[in-house]
Structures are given as C-alpha cells and as structure tokens.
Amino acid sequence: MAHFDVDQAPHLTAVLTEPLKLIEKQIIANQQAVEDWFDAQWKKSPAPVYGSVDLRNAGFKLAPIDMNLFPAGFNNLQLNPEFETQSIEAVGQVLQQIKAGAKKVLLIPENHTRNLFYWDNVNSLLNVVTKAGYEVRVGSLLPELTEPAEMSCNDGSIVRIEPIKRKGKHIEIDHFVPEIILLNNDLSSGIPEILVGLDQVITPPAALGWSHRLKSGHFQYYADVSREFAELIQVDPWFLAPLFLQCGEIDFMRGEGQHCLATHVETLLAQIKQKYAEYGIEQQPYIVIKADSGTYGMAIMMVRSVEDVMSLNRKQRTHMSKSKGGQPVRSVIVQEGVYTFETWGADNAVAEPVVYLWGERVVGGFYRVHKERDIDENLNAPGMQFEPLVFPKTCQRPANAEDGCQNRFYTYGVVARLSMLAAAREILDQGKLK
C-alpha cells in the first residue's frame, strides 16, 4: 500500500487567493447549512449513479470545467487505497436507491478493444461493485461479438466480456437477467436499438449519452445551482461557475457559423474582462471553445481574441471538426477559460483535480498532471499523468482546526457535488419529458 501525506498535495501558486480563501471560509463557516442544503436538494433531485468532475483552481476562482456522467478512470482512484472502502459503501447505497433489492448488475462498457487503460477502469468498477455485494457481468454492445472474449488490462488482469441478447423487453447474458444496467458507455454514436424500450433500469439514463446531451445544457443547470448555493454562503456566484455561451449550426471545415462564433467570443471576453476589472485580476482572459458533446479531450481549442477565431488555419479547423468516434462537430460551447495555478512535483507541472462521486458522496479523485502544458491549456491530452489526490477520509467534513490542505479538498468536494446536483436536475427533467 502506498503512503500518503499532505506534502504530496500540489502547491497553489496563485497570488490572488483572497476570493478562494473567502469561498473556503464561507463554506466552512456555514458547514451545517451547506450539508443541510445538499440533503434537501438530493431529496428533490436524486443524484446520478456516478460521475466525475474536472475542476480548475485559479486562486481567484474555483469552478468545474467538465462533468462526465459516464466516467472512466476509476482505476486511478487506486492511487490512494483509502478510496476503496468509501466507494464500496457508496455503491451499495446508491444502487439500492436506484433499485431496492437488486442483486444483479450488467455493466456495459465502451466499445474500446485496444485501450488497456480503459479496461483497467472496467476492472476497477467490477471489483468495487462486486465487493458491494452484487453479482456483476460485463455485456458488450459490439455487434460483431458473438462469443465471450477476454480483454487484457494494463496490470495483466483479464476482463471477460459477453454478447448481450434481447428477449422481449429485457436483455440478458446466458440466462443472467440483471435488475440494473450500469452504463459506462457514453453512447456518442447514438442509443442502440437493443437498449430502447427496456423494462430494466438503465443508469445513467441512455438519453443522457452524448448523442443527446449537451455540455451547454449541463452548464445552464450548473449556473442555476451555483447561483442558489452562492446566495446561501454569500459569495459572488462567478467565483464558482464559468461564464459560457452556446453556438449551434457550425461547420469548421466549410467555415459556416464562424460569424456566430466570433460574436460569442467577443461578448464573452467583454464579460470576463468586466469581472477581472471588478476584482483587480491582472491575468489575460481567454476562451475555451469545445464540442458541445463528447469526451476524451477532443475538439478543444483556446482563443484570446476575435482575430484568433477569424484566422483559423486548416489544421485547427480539422482538429475542431470531429469529436469522439469521428462524430462531426455541429455545435460548440464557448466557455470562460479558468486558469489552473496548481502545480505538482519538483518540475512544477501544471495540475488540475478530478473528483469522483458515487451518488451524492465524494469517494476520491486524482490530479491530472501535464508537464508539457501551461496554466491556460487543456490538460486532458496525450502526455498527461495521474497523481494521488490527498483526501483524508475523502473529506466528507472539513477539519475542526484550521487545515488549509484538508479544507481545500473539502471545498473541492462541495463544488464537485454542485456539478453532480446539476446533472441530477438534468436527469430529473429528462425523465419528466418521457
């Protein structure tokens, strides 16, 4: 087992830390009100089964930049052995909330066949759900899979995947009929017919896959949630939420929608500059343009002016034209860039925390670290590495005494839960539309 101490925590190098200190101070001072508020919110909008939240800590601002309802990377939680017990307890709780009395779970993974790290993630999911007391099988959506197959993991472990069969309004594997279908496939290419109209519980809902869900939709929910929360703890909601706009009907290769994009960038830059001036922030504002759906850090670029948008070269257009699975990018979210002033190790590599949740509970996380990227760049890129996130007992409560490290991580967990609550409201509203 690895040993962890607070010396392994990244250093916050931002000079302008007073707003962040204010956020931490207000959250901790109102701790009971914060926890009571979350309890009341979860009763109205039950949390998704799981999720991961990418955070950026600019010192003057702490905000999520992405929220994944079908997270990979559970294997990285093993960097800290404290997290497994937390995860097992949370899995048992959330799956019983989803389907009381359930004992059988079918895990449906992505259609990767060569990504060993992804199968490490699947293996970690299998282990934690099994230890929570469930019988688990892995069923593949690959249409060419007609016999069981063995997938190799990075550590030499094997994950057995099996073809799914549909009978009436349920799916099964060789007479194994699950009560819960746990999706770890974001369905970027659409919802397959085999999952449509089932009597079984599918979680997260297939309709929340990237073929239907938009990042801009999530961040609108998040804006509402963070505004309510900011009122509770009496801070400016801008400290907790990135500003954003949405630009649809775009085609980067044909240059269609470029005027819309440029106008949105100009508008958003003006809004950010106004906030920077209000709080005396000297950094240069920047914008992140990314596909409005999809994952894996694809179709993302940073711009600092309208001229950057109007002068895209062919390589940039090609990069932005397709997302995961070769899906064409037709809509983008134009989002306020949030600096990360956290660094890791002797090399001062740029780092950002990624927080994982099962249901309403923070169960751990890790730092995404990139030695070749800067404080205003996307770290979810080739060359990234993962380092332990030092959550003492996952910081379900802050330290009684003043402990900057532990209280910072508690604050990270609070902001991650805000993002999870936004996703919960998405799911609730999606269910009402059925």
Side-chain angles (χ1 to χ4, degrees):
M1 276 193 177
H3 172 70
F4 298 90
D5 57 51
V6 294
D7 291 335
Q8 292 178 291
H11 299 288
L12 183 63
T13 58
V15 176
L16 297 170
T17 58
E18 285 307 313
L20 180 61
K21 289 180 180 178
L22 173 64
I23 294 169
E24 289 182 359
K25 181 181 177 180
Q26 291 299 94
I27 287 175
I28 292 165
N30 296 281
Q31 174 197 336
Q32 193 57 54
V34 166
E35 297 302 329
D36 289 346
W37 182 82
F38 271 117
D39 287 343
Q41 297 304 314
W42 298 131
K43 287 182 174 66
K44 291 186 285 187
S45 306
V49 62
Y50 55 21
S52 66
V53 182
D54 294 0
L55 300 175
R56 299 276 281 207
N57 184 353
F60 56 84
K61 186 183 184 88
L62 172 64
I65 57 169
D66 211 351
M67 191 278 162
N68 195 348
L69 274 173
F70 305 88
F74 280 96
N75 52 301
N76 293 318
L77 299 189
Q78 295 176 356
L79 293 168
N80 188 332
E82 293 272 348
F83 296 160
E84 184 177 64
T85 300
Q86 298 286 335
S87 296
I88 292 169
E89 292 176 359
V91 168
Q93 180 181 353
V94 70
L95 291 184
Q96 285 306 300
Q97 289 173 344
I98 290 170
K99 179 73 173 178
K103 289 295 182 184
K104 295 181 179 180
V105 175
L106 176 65
L107 175 61
I108 297 183
E110 292 281 356
N111 290 342
H112 295 295
T113 55
R114 297 175 184 170
N115 189 332
L116 300 186
F117 292 106
Y118 178 74
W119 292 110
D120 287 343
N121 159 74
V122 172
N123 197 38
S124 296
L125 278 171
L126 278 173
N127 287 337
V128 74
V129 177
T130 299
K131 289 179 179 179
Y134 294 87
E135 185 181 355
V136 194
R137 304 273 284 271
V138 182
S140 174
L141 293 175
L142 286 169
E144 65 270 22
L145 188 73
T146 58
E147 298 291 337
E150 293 185 341
M151 311 307 297
S152 298
C153 299
N154 226 28
D155 63 1
S157 301
I158 297 295
V159 173
R160 178 184 170 90
I161 64 172
E162 301 175 80
I164 298 170
K165 295 181 181 179
R166 177 156 180 161
K167 293 187 177 180
K169 290 192 174 183
H170 74 265
I171 57 175
E172 62 180 60
I173 291 178
D174 191 24
H175 305 299
F176 174 85
V177 182
E179 293 110 335
I180 296 175
I181 299 166
L182 180 60
L183 275 184
N184 198 242
N185 184 316
D186 62 26
L187 304 179
S188 294
S189 300
I191 303 173
E193 190 65 29
I194 196 170
L195 297 182
V196 176
L198 296 178
D199 287 339
Q200 293 149 306
V201 174
I202 302 179
T203 186
L208 268 294
W210 283 127
S211 57
H212 290 67
R213 183 178 181 235
L214 296 177
K215 294 179 187 290
S216 56
H218 170 77
F219 277 101
Q220 184 56 61
Y221 281 97
Y222 181 81
D224 295 339
V225 167
S226 58
R227 192 178 304 115
E228 295 168 24
F229 183 77
E231 184 176 350
L232 175 71
I233 65 169
Q234 295 297 293
V235 300
D236 186 339
W238 179 71
F239 291 150
L240 299 168
L243 301 173
F244 73 95
L245 294 169
Q246 193 252 7
C247 189
E249 301 302 321
I250 194 165
D251 188 320
F252 282 96
M253 295 309 294
R254 295 182 179 180
E256 296 173 0
Q258 193 166 354
H259 178 71
C260 167
L261 188 57
T263 300
H264 282 30
V265 165
E266 183 177 35
T267 300
L268 201 57
L269 278 173
Q271 293 175 1
I272 301 169
K273 287 176 181 177
Q274 183 177 349
K275 279 296 183 182
Y276 277 25
E278 180 180 348
Y279 292 106
I281 297 166
E282 297 180 356
Q283 275 73 25
Q284 180 186 8
Y286 72 101
I287 301 290
V288 181
I289 301 171
K290 51 188 172 183
D292 211 2
S293 60
T295 53
Y296 291 88
M298 301 178 71
I300 297 177
M301 68 178 180
M302 281 62 174
V303 299
R304 291 164 182 79
S305 67
V306 172
E307 289 71 27
D308 288 346
V309 176
M310 300 305 293
S311 60
L312 294 179
N313 59 38
R314 184 171 182 81
K315 181 179 179 181
Q316 291 170 312
R317 292 179 187 279
T318 301
H319 171 72
M320 291 298 298
S321 66
K322 293 183 180 180
S323 62
K324 181 189 170 190
Q327 295 299 308
V329 173
R330 293 288 180 256
S331 175
V332 296
I333 179 172
V334 182
Q335 190 177 61
E336 174 188 357
V338 181
Y339 285 93
T340 176
F341 285 109
E342 289 190 280
T343 60
W344 182 279
D347 296 332
N348 290 322
V350 178
E352 64 185 13
V354 184
V355 178
Y356 278 67
L357 305 94
W358 276 96
E360 62 198 52
R361 290 179 58 179
V362 173
V363 297
F366 52 84
Y367 271 94
R368 181 182 288 119
V369 178
H370 207 301
K371 295 180 180 179
E372 305 300 324
R373 294 288 171 115
D374 212 337
I375 58 175
D376 57 355
E377 292 185 289
N378 172 34
L379 305 188
N380 188 6
M384 62 183 168
Q385 64 190 66
F386 306 104
E387 300 291 349
L389 187 64
V390 188
F391 269 100
K393 299 181 181 178
T394 68
C395 291
Q396 300 296 332
R397 297 280 178 171
N400 293 324
E402 185 171 340
D403 182 338
C405 174
Q406 181 166 339
N407 290 341
R408 191 203 311 171
F409 291 133
Y410 174 74
T411 304
Y412 286 175
V414 168
V415 176
R417 282 188 283 168
L418 293 177
S419 192
M420 196 70 157
L421 178 57
R425 293 185 181 181
E426 283 185 82
I427 292 173
L428 187 64
D429 285 349
Q430 184 269 333
K432 291 176 180 177
L433 296 174
K434 285 186 177 180

